[in-house]
Amino acid sequence: MLRRALAGDIVAALVLASGAAVILQQSTTWPAAADVAGNPVVFPRMVAAIMLAVAALLVGLKLPAPDPDEAGAEGARRIALAFLVTAALAAGLDTIGLVPGGFLYVLAMQRIAGAPLRLAAPFAIAAPIVIWLAFATALKVPLPWGRLMPALGW
Amino acid sequence: MRITRRQFSASVAAASVAASAGGAFAAGFPERDITLVVPWAAGGGTDALGRTLAKNAKQYIGANVAVVNRPGGTGVQGMQSVAQAKPDGYTVGLVTFHLSSYRLTGLSQLSYREFEPIMLLNRSPTGFLVRADSPYKSMKDLVDYAKANPGVVTIATSGAGAVPHLSAALLAKQLGLKFTFVPFDGGAPARTAVLGGHVTMLVVNSEEALQFYKAKQLRFLALNSAERHPTFPDVPTIAEAGFPLATLLLDWRGLAVPKGTPPDVIKTLTEGFRKMSEDADYKRLMDEMALPRANAEGEKFTAFLEDIEKALEPALAEVGLLKKI
Amino acid sequence: MFDPALLLAGFASIFSVKIFPFLLIGSILGIVVGAIPGLTATMAIALLIPFTFAMEPIAGIVMLLAIYASGIYAGGIASILIRTPGTPAAAATLLDGYPMAQKGEAGRAIGIATISSGIGGLFSALALTLFAPLLATVALRFSAPEYFALAVFGLSVTMGLSGKSLLRGFAAVLLGLSIGMIGVDPIGGFPRLNFGFAEVSGGFNFVAVMIGLFSLSEAFRQIEQMSILPPKPPAVRDVLPKIAEILGMWRIYLRSCVYGLVVGITPGVGAETSSFLSYAETKRRDKDPSRFGKGAPEGVAAAQSAENGSTGGDLLPMLTLGVPGDAATAVLMGALTIHNLQPGPMLFQERPDLTHQIFAGMISANVMFVVLGLLGARLFARIVQIDRRILAPLVCLLSLVGAYAIDNNPFDVWVTFVFGVIGWLMQRGGFPVSPVVLAIILGPMMESNLRRALIMGLGSPAIFLQRPIALFLLAVAAISLFAVLRRSRRERREAAA
C-alpha cells in the first residue's frame, strides 16, 4: 500500500518536473517585449521553480498513502475497457454520429459496468435520443449527426 | 481560461450553410441567411455594433444576418474562420484593427490580403484623459511633468499593441519622453484603474470615456485626431494642444468577405450593408456610443488598410512589439 | 441613489402581465441550462439577446437577469446528483453535495442548495439596490495588486481543501497553473506552449477540462469499483430543510454573502471563486473539518450561498463602472448596450427608473428560483435512484456530449476524456482536483495582475506592502496556509499515535 502511494507521488513529481522543464525551455523563445508590462518570462519561471521544489518534496517526504481501493484485478479490467470504449467514442463521434454512437457507447459501458442486457438496452436506446431532442431539437445546440447517417438515407 | 458562448440560432444558420453547400449563387443571392462573424466576445463594443447593424438586415438585403461570436486568440480565430470560409458571400466578417497588426506582431500570418474588403464602418481616435481631480489641466502640464520625471507617469492602455498604446508611444518618442505603460484587457478595466487613482493617465479609444466625461469624473487632455469629435466638441485635438504628431493612428472596424467571393455577390453585399449602415437605429447607436462613422468602400477601404499597415510598422518597432513573420 | 418609491414602481412593473411571464420563462430556462453540463447561463443569455430586440427593453433585461440568477443556482443541482458541475460556479457544491446524495440525502441537499442560493442571491441583490454607489467606490479601491493578492488568497485557501496533504494540494495548484499558461501570454498576446496545435491556441476549453476532472473521472471510478459499491444510494428522505437548520447556519451565510459580494465586485472573478473561498473557509473554521467532503450540509450551504452572493456583486461594477464582473455580466452588458442603455455612471443619473427596475427584477429573480427549485427538488432527487450500472455510463455520455456542445468542437471531447483519466489517476493518488480547476481560472488573472502591479510600482515589489488591502489579503493567505499545515501535522501525529 505504501508502495502504491509513493508510486503516485513519484508520477506526480515526474509530471511536475517535466512540466517545469518544458516551461523553462520554452520561455527562452518568448519575446521579451521592451516596453510592455515587464518581462513575460518572470511569472512562468517562478511557477516552474516552485514546481521543481514541490516535485522534490513529493519524492523526499514519503507522504502517507491515500485510502486504498479494493476493486482489484476485476476493477482494473473494467477501467481499461472503459477508457478504450470512451476513446473510441471520442474518435468516432463525428463520423458515426451521436445517436448510433451514443447507443453503442452506453450499451458497451453498461455491459462493462455489469448491467444485464435486459436492463441496459432500453436506456442505451433512449439516452442518445433524449439528449438529441433536448440539445439539438429544443435548445438548437448542434450535435454531430454523423457523416454515415446521410449515406444511410437519413 | 476560455469560457466560450455561442449563438445557437446562428449556429443553426451555419449548419444550414453546410447542408446546402454546392448550390449556385450570384443570380439569386442571397437566397438564405447570411452569417456575420464577430471575432470578439458577445457583450463588447464590436459585438454591439455588429448586432445593431444586422438587426434590420432583412428589409435592406432580403435575408436575415445572423451574428456569430467567435472570440479567442485576440481575434485571430474568428477572422481566420472568415478567411477560410467558402467564398460564397454567406459568411461576412466584422474585421477590426487587429487584422492590421497580426503579421507585424508575429501573432498570425493573417492580414487584409486574405479578404475582399467590403466597407469601413468606423474609425475611432485615441483619447488622452486624466481623473477629474488630477493636477494636470492640459496636455502641456503633463508633458512638462513627464519631461522632468522620466518613467514616473503611468499610463493605462486598453492593451499592448493596440492603437492607444501605440499612439502614446509615438507621442513619447516624438517628444523624447519616457512613460510607464500598464496594459489592461480592454478599455473598461484600464478606465477603472485611472478612476480609482491607481494609474495617472488613461489612453483609450475616446468612446470608452463617454460616460465618465459626461459624469465629469474624467477629463480629456487631448484627442489624437485631425479634427474635433462631434461628441466631445470642447476637447482639443493633439495638434491644438500643442503637440502635432507626425503619424496619426486610428482604430477601425469594417466588413470583409473571404478572398475569391464573386464580384456581383460583393456588389450586392456592399449595397445591402451600405443601406444597413444608413439605418436610423444603427446611426443612433453609433452616435450614442460616440463612435464616428466612416464610409470607405472596396478600393478605398483597401487603400486605408495599406496606409495603416505602413504607419504601424515603425510604431510597433518603437514599443518593442515588432516581430514580423 | 436608492429611492424606495422608484423601487416600488419597479416591483409594480415587474409583476405586471407584460413583464412577469418573462421573469418566469427566464427562471425556468435558467434552471434548465444551468443544470445541464456544457450549457451555461452565459450561453443562454447570449442566445436570447436577439429575441429581446422585439421586446420592451425592461422585459428583455428582466428575463436575462432571471436566467443569470437561476442559471448560477441550478449548476448545483447536477453537482449534487451526478457530480457534474452544471456551471463552473457549482464545482464547490459537489464536494459535499454529491456525498450527501450518495448517503440518500439528495432531496435535502437540493433543498439546502436552493434556500442557500436564495439567501446569497437576495443579500447581494439588496446590497446592490441599497449601496450601489458606495460599493462602486469600494470596487475602485481594488486594482492590480489587490487582484493578484485575491488570487493568491483564493489558491492558498483551496490548497488546504483536501485536508490530508497540503503538499498534494499544492501539486494540484501547480498543475492547474501550468495548464492555464497554455495558449497565449495574457498581456503581450503572443502564442506560448501550444506546440503548434491550433486547437489550443486559445488555451484548453476550461469547461471541458472541468467536466472531465469532476464528472467523467467519478463515473470512471464507479465503473471500476462497481463490484464493491452498493447498487444505488438509499432512498430519498426529507426534501425541505428545517427552518432551525437554516437559521443555525447564519454565521456561514453571513460569511458567504460577504465573500460573494467582495469577489463579485472584483472584475474578472466571479461565482466560481467565491464559492470555493467560502467553502474552504467554512471548512477551516468548523469544529470538525474532517466532516467536510463526506456530506456536510454546511459545505453545500457555504458554496451555494457564496455563488449566488456574487451575482449582485458581479452586476455592480458592470452597471456603475461599465466593467463586467464575469463572463455572464459581460453578455448582459452587451444586451443593455444594444437596447441603447449604456452602463456607467450616467445610467443612474439619466435612467433612475430603469436602474430601479433592474434592482427589483434581480430581487424577484432570486425569489423565483427558490420557489421553482423547491417545487422540483423531489423530482430531481429521483435521478440518483437509478441503478449505478445504468447511471454511470449515462453520466459518461452526458459529459462527453456536454463537452462537445460548449463549442461544437470534437477536440473538446478529447480534452474531457484525457482530463477524465487524469482526474481518475489523481483521485487514486490522493490528489484533490478542485485546486486544479481554480488554478486554471485564477492563473492567467494572477499572472497579468502581478505584472501590472509591478509596473504600477515602477518595478518594485514594495507596492504590495504599501497597499493595505493587498497586504491584508496576502497576510490572510499566509495565515490560513499556516493553520492548515499545523492542523494536518497534528492529525498525522494523532493518526500515528
Side-chain angles (χ1 to χ4, degrees):
Chain A
M1 199 163 64
L2 185 92
R3 219 160 67 243
R4 206 198 79 197
L6 203 54
D9 287 339
I10 287 173
V11 171
L14 280 177
V15 169
L16 287 181
S18 39
V22 169
I23 292 171
L24 290 174
Q25 190 274 327
Q26 287 284 306
S27 68
T28 58
T29 66
W30 296 341
D35 213 347
V36 186
N39 197 332
V41 303
V42 174
F43 180 83
R45 283 191 187 159
M46 226 162 71
V47 173
I50 302 172
M51 283 164 83
L52 288 175
V54 169
L57 282 177
L58 275 173
V59 177
L61 277 187
K62 295 195 174 62
L63 297 173
D67 301 332
D69 77 74
E70 298 114 8
E74 169 68 18
R77 189 186 64 86
R78 283 204 175 124
I79 196 74
L81 281 174
F83 286 169
L84 205 71
V85 172
T86 307
L89 179 75
L93 193 59
D94 254 355
T95 316
I96 59 171
L98 174 75
V99 177
F103 163 72
L104 292 174
Y105 177 71
V106 172
L107 195 67
M109 290 290 273
Q110 286 175 334
R111 295 296 288 154
I112 294 168
L117 196 61
R118 186 173 41 78
L119 196 62
F123 281 95
I125 294 169
I129 295 173
V130 170
I131 289 180
W132 186 274
L133 290 176
F135 279 72
T137 309
L139 294 169
K140 304 269 181 263
V141 182
L143 291 177
W145 179 242
R147 282 192 285 272
L148 283 182
M149 300 296 271
L152 295 172
W154 277 41
Chain B
M1 184 184 73
R2 178 169 60 102
I3 299 180
T4 36
R5 58 202 81 96
R6 193 193 44 252
Q7 302 320 118
F8 306 171
S9 52
S11 314
V12 172
S16 68
V17 169
S20 58
F25 17 81
F29 180 85
E31 46 191 19
R32 54 173 191 268
D33 287 358
I34 296 168
T35 304
L36 178 65
V37 176
V38 173
W40 301 95
T46 307
D47 178 62
L49 189 154
R51 283 172 194 279
T52 315
L53 184 69
K55 198 156 119 182
N56 300 327
K58 185 96 187 176
Q59 64 192 86
Y60 297 118
I61 202 165
N64 286 315
V65 174
V67 174
V68 192
N69 296 86
R70 215 161 275 156
T74 37
V76 175
Q77 288 184 5
M79 290 190 223
Q80 184 98 49
S81 77
V82 175
Q84 288 166 350
K86 198 167 173 1
D88 56 6
Y90 289 103
T91 309
V92 180
L94 210 175
V95 289
T96 60
F97 160 80
H98 294 73
L99 186 61
S100 301
S101 70
Y102 292 138
R103 240 163 38 95
L104 302 174
T105 52
L107 212 56
S108 162
Q109 286 283 5
L110 204 62
S111 78
Y112 69 86
R113 294 166 191 81
E114 262 105 314
F115 295 90
E116 306 278 1
I118 295 199
M119 64 174 63
L120 183 67
L121 289 171
N122 127 270
R123 272 179 311 198
S124 288
T126 296
F128 296 88
L129 301 105
V130 288
R131 208 159 80 143
D133 60 1
S134 158
Y136 311 112
K137 303 286 180 215
S138 69
M139 201 68 195
K140 191 175 173 306
D141 290 351
L142 188 110
V143 168
D144 288 347
Y145 180 80
K147 241 180 205 142
N149 304 280
V152 174
V153 174
T154 48
I155 294 190
T157 71
S158 50
V163 172
H165 174 211
L166 297 175
S167 300
L170 287 174
L171 178 81
K173 187 188 180 192
Q174 192 171 323
L175 302 178
L177 307 175
K178 187 164 170 10
F179 292 133
T180 298
F181 289 103
V182 191
F184 286 83
D185 303 326
R191 184 179 65 209
T192 311
V194 173
L195 282 170
H198 309 287
V199 182
T200 313
M201 181 155 76
L202 175 66
V203 182
V204 290
N205 280 351
S206 49
E207 72 268 9
E208 302 267 13
L210 175 65
Q211 289 263 324
F212 298 84
Y213 162 80
K214 280 201 216 158
K216 298 199 174 12
Q217 294 180 16
L218 288 174
R219 178 168 61 233
F220 269 102
L221 296 180
L223 196 69
N224 193 26
S225 164
E227 64 279 343
R228 290 201 175 201
H229 194 298
T231 318
F232 314 110
D234 57 332
V235 177
T237 65
I238 190 82
E240 287 169 349
F243 307 97
L245 272 178
T247 319
L248 268 185
L249 287 179
L250 292 168
D251 200 0
W252 61 266
R253 296 177 174 98
L255 297 167
V257 287
K259 196 96 197 164
T261 307
D264 42 351
V265 170
I266 294 183
K267 191 160 164 277
T268 311
L269 283 173
T270 309
E271 275 161 18
F273 276 103
R274 185 193 305 133
K275 286 183 204 144
M276 282 150 74
S277 70
E278 280 157 8
D279 181 88
D281 272 359
Y282 173 75
K283 279 159 85 171
R284 184 170 355 106
L285 181 92
M286 293 290 272
D287 291 346
E288 285 191 11
M289 286 173 50
L291 288 169
R293 280 172 285 121
N295 50 351
E297 292 172 7
E299 293 299 308
K300 274 157 79 186
F301 186 19
T302 312
F304 169 80
L305 292 173
E306 279 166 4
D307 286 349
I308 205 147
E309 232 183 59
K310 277 184 208 125
L312 261 180
E313 200 167 320
L316 285 166
E318 172 58 23
V319 298
L321 281 175
L322 186 69
K323 193 194 172 204
K324 237 172 157 175
I325 50 174
Chain C
M1 290 305 141
F2 175 60
D3 182 337
L6 278 177
L7 189 67
L8 274 180
F11 275 117
S13 70
I14 301 258
F15 287 95
S16 67
V17 236
K18 263 165 50 194
I19 297 183
F20 185 76
F22 292 106
L23 177 70
L24 186 66
I25 292 171
S27 299
I28 293 173
L29 203 71
I31 291 182
V32 171
V33 296
I36 298 179
L39 303 183
T40 60
T42 313
M43 277 166 75
I45 296 168
L47 151 73
L48 284 179
I49 286 179
F51 290 94
T52 65
F53 284 161
M55 296 181 202
E56 212 180 306
I58 188 65
I61 290 164
V62 164
M63 180 171 80
L64 299 180
L65 287 174
I67 294 177
Y68 177 48
S70 58
I72 297 271
Y73 144 69
I77 297 176
S79 282
I80 290 169
L81 295 177
I82 54 174
R83 205 175 189 260
T84 307
T87 52
T93 307
L94 62 79
L95 298 175
D96 273 293
Y98 181 71
M100 275 185 85
Q102 292 301 303
K103 288 198 294 189
E105 296 180 329
R108 181 162 168 243
I110 293 177
I112 289 178
T114 308
I115 290 177
S116 304
S117 277
I119 290 174
L122 264 184
F123 173 87
S124 75
L126 288 173
L128 175 69
T129 307
L130 297 174
F131 306 117
L134 180 73
L135 288 170
T137 62
V138 175
L140 282 179
R141 300 284 301 270
F142 279 64
S143 197
E146 288 75 22
Y147 300 158
F148 171 76
L150 193 66
V152 172
F153 178 46
L155 288 184
S156 70
V157 169
T158 334
M159 230 183 267
L161 264 188
S162 70
K164 287 212 186 72
S165 160
L166 197 59
L167 190 62
R168 291 197 183 118
F170 201 176
V173 165
L174 291 169
L175 179 68
L177 286 179
S178 42
I179 293 169
M181 278 180 209
I182 295 171
V184 288
D185 173 270
I187 284 189
F190 60 83
R192 67 178 186 191
L193 297 173
N194 65 18
F195 303 100
F197 289 101
E199 286 89 348
V200 293
S201 61
F204 280 113
N205 189 314
F206 158 72
V207 180
V209 171
M210 188 188 66
I211 292 178
L213 281 177
F214 283 116
S215 160
L216 196 58
S217 70
E218 167 66 13
F220 281 155
R221 192 190 66 87
Q222 290 200 1
I223 288 174
E224 180 199 13
Q225 311 204 332
M226 201 56 79
S227 52
I228 48 175
L229 287 172
K232 63 179 85 163
V236 179
R237 291 204 297 269
D238 47 337
V239 169
L240 276 182
K242 293 188 184 63
I243 292 178
E245 183 177 16
I246 297 294
L247 291 179
M249 294 195 281
W250 68 273
R251 257 180 239 274
I252 295 174
Y253 287 130
L254 193 64
R255 189 165 52 232
S256 301
C257 288
V258 172
Y259 273 127
L261 197 62
V262 172
V263 171
I265 62 176
T266 310
V269 283
E272 56 277 351
T273 309
S274 64
S275 57
F276 269 115
L277 263 181
S278 162
Y279 176 87
E281 273 300 284
T282 302
K283 178 182 171 185
R284 193 175 67 81
R285 285 164 182 266
D286 198 84
K287 278 195 289 294
D288 179 16
S290 63
R291 294 186 303 127
F292 284 72
K294 294 172 192 155
E298 290 86 351
V300 175
Q304 287 285 127
S305 53
E307 238 171 71
N308 280 83
S310 74
T311 52
D314 276 327
L315 282 174
L316 183 121
M318 188 271 271
L319 289 172
T320 57
L321 301 169
V323 204
D326 62 1
T329 44
V331 185
L332 276 173
M333 184 166 140
L336 287 169
T337 311
I338 291 166
H339 283 288
N340 264 329
L341 302 162
Q342 298 282 326
M346 297 310 282
L347 185 66
F348 282 70
Q349 290 179 27
E350 289 171 352
R351 299 296 305 274
D353 56 327
L354 188 103
T355 46
H356 281 79
Q357 280 174 328
I358 291 178
F359 296 155
M362 197 61 195
I363 294 171
S364 316
N366 278 295
V367 177
M368 198 67 174
F369 74 67
V370 172
V371 174
L372 292 171
L374 289 179
L375 284 176
R378 198 180 291 274
L379 190 72
F380 299 142
R382 293 244 171 88
I383 289 177
V384 282
Q385 288 303 306
I386 302 172
D387 188 315
R388 221 182 273 282
R389 296 171 295 178
I390 301 294
L391 186 59
L394 295 179
V395 171
C396 287
L397 181 66
L398 192 60
S399 302
L400 299 167
V401 172
Y404 185 97
I406 308 157
D407 229 5
N408 195 13
N409 187 350
F411 179 75
D412 288 335
V413 178
W414 280 108
V415 172
T416 296
F417 170 58
V418 169
F419 279 91
V421 176
I422 293 176
W424 175 80
L425 284 170
M426 287 179 70
Q427 221 167 356
R428 270 171 74 95
F431 290 87
V433 293
S434 328
V436 183
V437 170
L438 200 63
I440 297 178
I441 298 177
L442 293 179
M445 157 186 170
M446 202 169 149
E447 175 175 3
S448 51
N449 283 304
L450 172 67
R451 278 163 69 181
R452 268 181 215 124
L454 288 176
I455 310 168
M456 282 181 191
L458 304 178
S460 160
I463 187 165
F464 292 105
L465 304 176
Q466 291 154 357
R467 303 185 52 122
I469 301 177
L471 186 63
F472 171 76
L473 285 169
L474 289 174
V476 177
I479 292 169
S480 73
L481 259 192
F482 185 70
V484 173
L485 195 66
R486 231 179 43 179
R487 199 187 65 224
S488 71
R489 281 243 175 94
R490 195 177 58 223
E491 275 169 12
R492 209 179 304 161
R493 260 204 312 276
E494 279 165 11

